[in-house]
Amino acid sequence: MAANDHAEVVLLDLWASPFGQRVRIALEEKGVEYEYMEQDMINKSTLLIESNPVYKKIPVLIHHGKPVCESLVIVQYIDEVWSHKAPLLPGEPFARAQARFWADFIDKKIYECTTRLWKCKGEALEEAKKDFMEIVKTLEVELGDKTFFNGDTFGFVDVALVPFFGRFNAYEKIANFNIEKECPKIVAWGRRCMHRDSVSKILPDDQKIYEFLLMLRKYLGVE
Amino acid sequence: MASDDVKLIGAWASPYVMRPRIALNLKGVEYEFLEEKFGSKSELLLKSNPVYKKIPVLLHGGKPICESLIIVQYIDEAWSGHSILPSDPYHRAVARFWGHYIDDKWFPALTGISRAPTDEAKKEAIEQVFAGLKFLEEVLEKSGAGKPFFGGDTIGYIDIALGCNLGWLRATEKLSGLTYLDESKTPLLVCWAEKFSAHEAVKCVMPETDKLVEFAQMLKAKFSAPPSK
């Protein structure tokens, strides 16, 4: 399946992917039109393999036929190309370094841990819950009393984290715990993000995500 | 002036620490190097990087910046002069991607060779290292376009991200007897490695291969059980 030759911006993605959602939220924030191409990760398309030969993963942004891979690299790219609107990274170097640090922290810690929340059972699950709360508490300390991670404006770290917030309800149901009780500030932050058009448009329904994770659990034989 | 005060917390053997050192050298920035003692972490390190408690940490006017490639980008943005990242957004994205790949897949495979629990795992790690070098050879060919470095005529982001690992690559070659930077497989990288290591911003901070071999042997002896007779 070839990309539409007339589409300047093409996104290879999966509806449920939090990494893909980051890119879509960034594109929405910037008001960029793009062609969305849902990928089959079992029978990977030639386009995906050619666009991301190193990882063969989504998301991949193809701009003027040139592919950009890795969600946070793509979000920075989007921020730099469409710099006239909704800046995601702050202007000042130290603040930018802080934003990159926390987005990188989210990448290093959240995905692996949250995968254990829906994949594991018994003692492994209890450990996953403990690890998850520790990570979210660390983020909560960083957020403090700010509206968003960078202050008053929605930005890079918010984009990096909010797709995982979109899965909180599903994690709570599957792992049987209450995130808001221990981390009310992060949950409040997540709800503030959901008021943004870009976020509410892109993040799937809680129920859809919950059913998707249940389906994955079944597929992987976790029951 | 406090804002000109630049310190780097690091250690001689760490490839990650080399990265900001090279970047600071390229920018002509003077800094104080605070060497951490092996086996212990200073109060300053723990205070400056409470999240990971790891080196390197750059302290600029007392403010800490952590994670080596984030530090390199900070150095590029905070000081003018030699540009480390390209100016074009697409090429910047390509550079950041390869920096990520090197840290996410390639270097862990390299260090994983000696730590592999089985022969199969070892073989897989070795394959990953060679596969990575093949990718990077292609990148050098494309982005370098006949020039000596990934950054063109001068050292850039990918050069720093990859080149800092040359010491450990050579040490691994000595310890394993395998040649990773092979002229028959990746001739451009072989040439690049020599030029990079000889660059004035690099040679003063590149650890000697023999010292790294010694260090690796010391680590192995320290962390593994003594061999039974």
Side-chain angles (χ1 to χ4, degrees):
Chain A
M1 190 186 195
N4 182 348
D5 285 333
H6 305 292
E8 201 177 281
V9 184
V10 176
L11 179 64
L12 309 183
D13 200 353
L14 279 177
W15 72 270
S17 163
F19 302 104
Q21 286 155 11
R22 287 170 169 176
V23 175
R24 279 177 267 151
I25 289 168
L27 289 166
E28 287 295 322
E29 283 285 317
K30 301 287 187 175
V32 176
E33 284 193 20
Y34 61 100
E35 184 189 346
Y36 179 86
M37 295 177 78
E38 180 82 6
Q39 298 298 298
D40 177 348
M41 295 314 279
I42 296 172
N43 301 303
K44 296 184 185 187
S45 69
T46 311
L47 181 60
L48 175 60
I49 296 170
E50 282 175 358
S51 305
N52 191 354
V54 176
Y55 289 106
K56 304 177 181 59
K57 282 185 179 178
I58 55 93
V60 180
L61 188 80
I62 307 175
H63 187 204
H64 295 306
K66 295 196 282 194
V68 182
C69 309
E70 284 305 303
S71 64
L72 293 181
V73 174
I74 301 172
V75 171
Q76 285 188 84
Y77 174 78
I78 291 168
D79 200 33
E80 290 171 13
V81 171
W82 290 280
S83 55
H84 60 285
K85 191 182 174 190
L88 296 171
L89 270 166
E92 195 269 317
F94 182 72
R96 290 161 76 82
Q98 293 303 98
R100 286 181 178 129
F101 175 86
W102 287 106
D104 178 67
F105 172 83
I106 290 160
D107 257 8
K108 282 182 162 81
K109 303 279 187 184
I110 286 254
Y111 184 67
E112 184 277 329
C113 184
T114 54
T115 302
R116 282 189 281 137
L117 282 177
W118 60 263
K119 248 188 185 173
C120 295
K121 292 189 288 181
E123 230 176 271
L125 175 59
E126 293 311 305
E127 199 175 314
K129 284 195 257 186
K130 188 169 149 271
D131 291 343
F132 176 78
M133 292 316 312
E134 212 175 285
I135 292 164
V136 179
K137 280 191 178 134
T138 303
L139 288 166
E140 207 171 56
V141 169
E142 175 55 26
L143 176 69
D145 292 317
K146 302 195 292 272
T147 311
F148 298 111
F149 277 89
N150 189 42
D152 292 326
T153 50
F154 183 78
F156 193 60
V157 182
D158 308 291
V159 172
L161 183 60
V162 82
F164 293 100
F165 171 76
R167 295 178 151 206
F168 275 16
N169 276 325
Y171 299 148
E172 285 178 323
K173 271 192 182 146
I174 295 171
N176 190 25
F177 70 139
N178 186 323
I179 300 170
E180 186 168 9
K181 210 165 102 180
E182 297 205 43
C183 295
K185 281 184 173 167
I186 282 287
V187 172
W189 159 85
R191 292 198 180 120
R192 281 196 292 277
C193 291
M194 291 300 291
H195 283 128
R196 292 188 80 76
D197 288 340
S198 60
V199 178
S200 60
K201 182 180 174 186
I202 295 301
L203 292 192
D205 208 57
D206 284 344
Q207 186 62 21
K208 267 187 107 179
I209 288 287
Y210 174 60
E211 285 166 9
F212 174 76
L213 292 177
L214 283 184
M215 186 265 302
L216 271 184
R217 266 170 75 97
K218 202 170 172 187
Y219 178 76
L220 294 165
V222 183
E223 270 317 332
Chain B
M1 222 163 86
S3 62
D4 288 345
D5 175 43
V6 184
K7 294 182 165 72
L8 182 73
I9 310 174
W12 70 273
S14 164
Y16 301 110
V17 170
M18 259 185 82
R19 289 167 168 177
R21 297 188 84 177
I22 295 168
L24 289 166
N25 289 345
L26 287 168
K27 295 282 190 180
V29 175
E30 287 197 14
Y31 64 97
E32 190 186 346
F33 186 62
L34 303 171
E35 177 105 33
E36 285 286 295
K37 209 170 105 179
F38 178 72
S40 68
K41 294 181 197 240
S42 67
E43 276 302 310
L44 183 62
L45 174 62
L46 296 175
K47 196 180 89 178
S48 308
N49 190 355
V51 174
Y52 296 116
K53 305 174 180 53
K54 282 185 178 176
I55 49 159
V57 179
L58 184 78
L59 292 160
H60 187 197
K63 296 200 283 193
I65 300 108
C66 308
E67 290 302 294
S68 63
L69 291 180
I70 293 173
I71 301 172
V72 169
Q73 289 182 79
Y74 173 80
I75 291 167
D76 200 28
E77 291 170 6
W79 285 280
S80 58
H82 180 116
S83 270
I84 294 170
L85 269 165
S87 52
D88 169 68
Y90 177 71
H91 293 122
R92 290 158 77 82
V94 169
R96 286 183 180 127
F97 172 83
W98 288 109
H100 169 85
Y101 168 76
I102 287 161
D103 281 358
D104 179 46
K105 285 266 176 296
W106 189 78
F107 192 63
L110 183 67
T111 53
I113 292 167
S114 57
R115 282 185 263 161
T118 61
D119 278 340
E120 200 180 316
K122 188 170 180 168
K123 188 167 163 256
E124 215 177 289
I126 292 172
E127 267 169 28
Q128 179 77 252
V129 171
F130 276 117
L133 288 172
K134 191 165 171 234
F135 278 131
L136 290 157
E137 176 86 357
E138 282 167 27
V139 176
L140 183 55
E141 196 176 0
K142 257 189 240 159
S143 67
K147 304 269 172 109
F149 300 109
F150 287 91
D153 287 316
T154 55
I155 285 180
Y157 187 80
I158 303 176
D159 298 285
I160 295 173
L162 181 63
C164 68
N165 298 304
L166 285 171
W168 278 109
L169 186 66
R170 291 180 189 121
T172 308
E173 286 180 333
K174 275 204 165 167
L175 288 161
S176 67
L178 258 178
T179 305
Y180 293 102
L181 275 183
D182 185 339
E183 220 174 270
S184 66
K185 294 191 174 105
T186 53
L188 293 177
L189 279 178
V190 170
C191 208
W192 163 84
E194 257 176 74
K195 291 207 166 77
F196 179 83
S197 306
H199 193 283
E200 57 185 18
V202 176
K203 63 184 181 196
C204 48
V205 298
M206 177 77 82
E208 281 171 42
T209 309
D210 288 336
K211 287 213 166 102
L212 288 175
V213 168
E214 222 177 276
F215 185 69
Q217 285 165 336
M218 184 272 290
L219 279 177
K220 196 170 180 186
K222 188 172 181 179
F223 293 115
S224 59
S228 53
K229 293 267 177 187

